Amino acid sequence: MIGAVLRRFGSPLGAVVTEGFLSRLSFGILGFALPLYAHALGMTLASIGLLLATNVIVSIVLRPAMGALIDRFGVRISYLAAVALRSLVVLLFVFADAPWQLFAIRALHGVAIALRDPAATTIIAGLGGKATVAQRFAWYQTAKTVAGSSGRFAAGVVLTLTLGSYPAVFAVAAALSALPLGVMIWRLRGPALAGLRPPPTQPAEPVPTGLRRAVLPYAGLGFLVSGTAYMMANLLPVFAVEYIGLSPAAAGSLYLVSAIVGLSGPLWGWLADHVSNRLVLSLRAVGNVASSVVWLATPTYAGLLVGKVADDVGKAAFSPAWGAVMARLAERDPRRRARIMAWLGSAEDLGEMTGPIVAGLIWSLWGLPAVLMARVLLGIVTEVYALFLDRRDVLVTSAPVVPDGAGARSREDNEVATDSIAGSRGEPKSQRAAAPVDDRTPGSQATASGRTARHRSR
């Protein structure tokens, strides 16, 4: 048993999970200490909020371009470069003593995130087979969730032990960020990564329109789910303390639920792989709606706790199921696998950033009940949209894999992928473009061969 666990964590996938745990541990420490340090430098609350959002904004803007770089130069070298850059950036916080320096370093941190995240998800999606793809994303997300909560706790401990020395806290965060580099250099190599090295695209080669049409609807789904889920993420402490009247300690205790419920991620990954990915994916919308209804109907500590459990269960279930959807979308064009991951990741981050802003505007205009009712409506709209995509192409389970052909065939290959989905909706065959026999399923190849034989016999 122990030997099997060690072998798993010594694999390329284990190296990615280890890096994800340590990077989120570092990120948790930074997320706790940086606002306090910025406040100590005299920054206003508004400027601190902008500082914390800077890396997300930069990441959203640059991630599609970084995905193209990963596809061109390789996922291993890109991943290593991103982790090295991130560690250097975190180390720079040790020497920062002015607000403009914090903003500059935070922007560089966004560059590292834009390069690192698509590389990590590309490896998780591409290694280990299709039967366990949701479970792989579940272990990765579980490690990040537990590490994030642990990082915030560790930051408070280090600040206490060092008598408020922020450079010491940032140095610890930088060391944790750089720690997995050795494991990555050692394990991210060999035959396991050979399948992630398709022929690179050329810089001037355009992205096929069929691929954009296939991926963008799912990017919209990621935006809706993430935006709805995070509408209350930053406002929940205000809701608990100012609206209900709980003490800060009682409000803080609610976040222990996130770490505990996050441990259920592997279970949801197994259910997504072996029972129904669509069913597990829908739990995110159910969690959004259920938590909002409970908070609206029962504005007490017990109601907050029950709603937080429902919300965190939805998040824990969504991550592995959504990872499986992203992996299947990336299979449509292996030469642009990281780019597809980058598009979807940018949409999620944009929703995560937009949701709290929209919720704050609604709260300021019509109050908290309007925020919760809007969250319920958006959760229902999101689920209806997911059902539409499910009926259209069964959440990409019927999509064929785009072959690793030359650039001249990329457009035709992706049109075949789109036409195959159209066929699954029952559209007349005359409305679908003809495709090369090699790109079809075995059944369609047999049909085409039969037609050819009859033609020759005549």
Side-chain angles (χ1 to χ4, degrees):
M1 177 70 177
I2 297 178
V5 173
L6 291 176
R7 285 193 298 272
R8 173 169 293 184
F9 280 91
S11 66
L13 287 172
V16 176
V17 173
T18 301
E19 187 278 327
F21 177 85
L22 291 174
S23 68
R24 187 50 64 97
L25 191 64
S26 171
F27 196 78
I29 292 174
L30 193 64
F32 183 91
L34 185 59
L36 297 176
Y37 183 54
H39 187 267
L41 292 179
M43 295 177 62
T44 64
L45 292 179
S47 60
I48 292 174
L50 181 60
L51 173 67
L52 296 179
T54 298
N55 64 330
V56 179
I57 296 172
V58 172
S59 174
I60 292 172
V61 173
L62 294 183
R63 192 172 297 190
M66 293 300 182
L69 287 178
I70 295 170
D71 287 328
R72 179 160 177 77
F73 295 104
V75 66
R76 181 179 183 271
I77 188 65
S78 301
Y79 197 7
L80 291 173
V83 174
L85 175 61
R86 183 194 64 207
S87 303
L88 177 61
V89 167
V90 177
L91 183 62
L92 291 177
F93 279 114
V94 175
F95 309 101
D97 57 4
W100 72 267
Q101 294 174 344
L102 297 183
F103 275 100
I105 296 171
R106 196 70 170 170
L108 285 175
H109 194 195
V111 175
I113 293 173
L115 183 61
R116 180 256 174 209
D117 286 359
T121 54
T122 297
I123 293 177
I124 295 172
L127 297 180
K130 302 177 183 178
T132 59
V133 61
Q135 294 173 76
R136 296 197 299 275
F137 275 98
W139 281 106
Y140 175 69
Q141 188 61 40
T142 299
K144 290 173 60 179
T145 300
V146 174
S149 301
S150 302
R152 288 174 174 82
F153 173 77
V157 172
V158 174
L159 276 175
T160 302
L161 294 177
T162 60
L163 303 179
S165 175
Y166 290 102
V169 176
F170 296 144
V172 171
L176 290 171
S177 178
L179 195 59
L181 271 174
V183 177
M184 296 169 64
I185 294 173
W186 173 43
R187 298 307 307 177
L188 291 179
R189 59 172 64 246
L193 294 182
L196 299 180
R197 298 171 184 166
T201 58
Q202 298 302 317
E205 186 179 339
V207 176
T209 55
L211 182 63
R212 290 186 183 275
R213 288 199 301 268
V215 175
L216 287 182
Y218 288 94
L221 177 62
F223 172 81
L224 286 173
V225 172
S226 182
T228 307
Y230 282 90
M231 284 182 70
M232 289 296 295
N234 297 332
L235 297 178
L236 190 61
V238 181
F239 178 32
V241 175
E242 301 296 335
Y243 194 85
I244 297 180
L246 298 179
S247 67
S253 67
L254 296 171
Y255 289 90
L256 294 175
V257 175
S258 298
I260 297 173
V261 175
L263 295 175
S264 67
L267 171 63
W268 298 116
W270 186 90
L271 291 173
D273 283 329
H274 295 89
V275 179
S276 172
N277 191 73
R278 176 68 191 89
L279 177 62
V280 176
L281 191 69
S282 67
L283 291 179
R284 175 64 273 181
V286 173
N288 290 342
V289 173
S291 60
S292 299
V293 170
V294 170
W295 288 337
L296 188 62
T298 314
T300 62
Y301 179 80
L304 278 178
L305 185 61
V306 172
K308 191 74 169 65
V309 170
D311 192 51
D312 288 335
V313 166
K315 290 179 181 178
F318 175 77
S319 294
W322 179 245
V325 171
M326 292 196 300
R328 291 163 187 158
L329 281 168
E331 290 174 359
R332 296 186 176 209
D333 192 345
R335 298 188 310 130
R336 296 179 175 86
R337 184 184 280 116
R339 207 173 314 185
I340 293 172
M341 291 293 188
W343 293 343
L344 297 170
S346 291
E348 281 189 89
D349 285 351
L350 185 60
E352 183 177 340
M353 185 179 68
T354 305
I357 296 175
V358 172
L361 290 175
I362 295 175
W363 191 333
S364 63
L365 292 174
W366 299 292
L368 175 64
V371 175
L372 297 176
M373 288 187 288
R375 193 166 180 256
V376 169
L377 292 176
L378 287 174
I380 295 173
V381 169
T382 301
E383 182 61 19
V384 170
Y385 182 58
L387 288 173
F388 164 74
L389 292 180
D390 186 28
R391 294 176 65 88
R392 192 188 73 162
D393 50 11
V394 199
L395 285 173
V396 307
T397 55
S398 63
V401 178
V402 176
D404 299 342
R409 293 188 58 197
S410 296
R411 188 176 298 275
E412 295 179 6
D413 291 339
N414 285 281
E415 294 296 338
V416 170
T418 304
D419 295 337
S420 173
I421 297 172
S424 69
R425 298 198 302 268
E427 294 181 3
K429 188 175 178 181
S430 60
Q431 296 180 8
R432 287 177 266 149
V437 174
D438 291 342
D439 295 339
R440 300 178 182 177
T441 59
S444 62
Q445 292 178 16
T447 304
S449 300
R451 289 198 299 268
T452 304
R454 289 194 298 271
H455 176 75
R456 288 176 177 172
S457 65
R458 290 197 295 268

